[in-house]
Amino acid sequence: PEGKRLVFFENGDLVGARSNLPSGRLGAVLIREGRITEADLTKALGFVRSGHKLGEILVELDYLKAGEIERYVRIQILEIACAVLTSPSTRLVFSEVMEVEAATLSPISIGSVFLTAVQRLPDVKLYRDEVMLDDYVLAQTDGALSLASGMELSPSEATVLDLVDGTNAVRDVLS
């Protein structure tokens, strides 16, 4: 079966995501982040019942504190969104009628999603060859600077952002 990833935006910010792929599940995120073990997840899944989410069960079993769930849900949402941007896809669909399941209380800026996705690319050259055209000229939107002000940029990332000025092509920015 084909995997499906859904991302949900509100007012231009990422607020939720959903995936039917095992790697996109909250339990998988918690294991990758070293917060629980496979055995912990297996035990918790044995208690999952209608109306109770995995995070709630993990808190009841004392594997997580209630305040930690939001952090890992945000990581889950960001990972799913990054996978949407960096994985080959045969189809993208936009809809305004889907219900959000995994949602964060603090929205994630689209700039943070793109920056994280680029940082996670295993092979930038392959991505450029398959997806991007080197002669595309990149420009920032009117709100790009205010968006960037909420992000933690390294000096090299700030330099790249400065190069996105409406005159430089992709090859110039990425070289």
Side-chain angles (χ1 to χ4, degrees):
E2 189 175 311
K4 184 185 286 187
R5 296 180 184 102
L6 305 171
V7 291
F8 304 94
F9 293 90
E10 187 174 281
N11 299 322
D13 290 324
L14 180 64
V15 295
R18 185 170 45 187
S19 173
N20 68 351
L21 299 170
S23 63
R25 302 284 184 191
L26 180 59
V29 170
L30 291 164
I31 290 170
R32 277 194 303 276
E33 293 290 316
R35 193 57 189 88
I36 64 170
T37 65
E38 290 272 356
D40 295 339
L41 178 60
T42 300
K43 183 176 179 181
L45 289 174
F47 289 101
V48 172
R49 54 199 177 275
S50 179
H52 290 84
K53 295 185 176 187
L54 177 62
E56 295 168 349
I57 301 289
L58 291 167
V59 170
E60 283 183 35
L61 292 173
D62 207 30
Y63 293 145
L64 287 177
K65 293 179 179 29
E68 291 180 288
I69 296 171
E70 171 72 7
R71 175 175 185 249
Y72 294 104
V73 168
R74 281 179 60 86
I75 291 170
Q76 176 191 23
I77 290 168
L78 192 56
E79 285 185 2
I80 293 169
C82 289
V84 167
L85 293 173
T86 60
S87 300
S89 176
T90 56
R91 188 174 126 185
L92 290 174
V93 177
F94 297 88
S95 172
E96 295 184 23
V97 295
M98 305 268 326
E99 183 178 327
V100 179
E101 283 183 7
T104 179
L105 299 174
S106 25
I108 304 166
S109 75
I110 192 66
S112 292
V113 174
F114 278 111
L115 183 60
T116 303
V118 169
Q119 290 169 334
R120 292 181 181 187
L121 282 175
D123 185 346
V124 174
K125 182 182 179 335
L126 176 64
Y127 186 76
R128 284 176 64 192
D129 291 346
E130 296 294 320
V131 177
M132 300 181 82
L133 299 175
D134 278 347
D135 58 349
Y136 273 28
V137 174
L138 301 173
Q140 297 178 16
T141 62
D142 292 336
L145 292 179
S146 63
L147 184 66
S149 68
M151 298 168 35
E152 294 179 27
L153 299 175
S154 70
S156 61
E157 292 165 344
T159 300
V160 168
L161 186 61
D162 286 342
L163 290 171
V164 178
D165 62 1
T167 63
N168 290 308
V170 170
R171 85 176 132 287
D172 303 322
V173 172
L174 297 178
S175 61

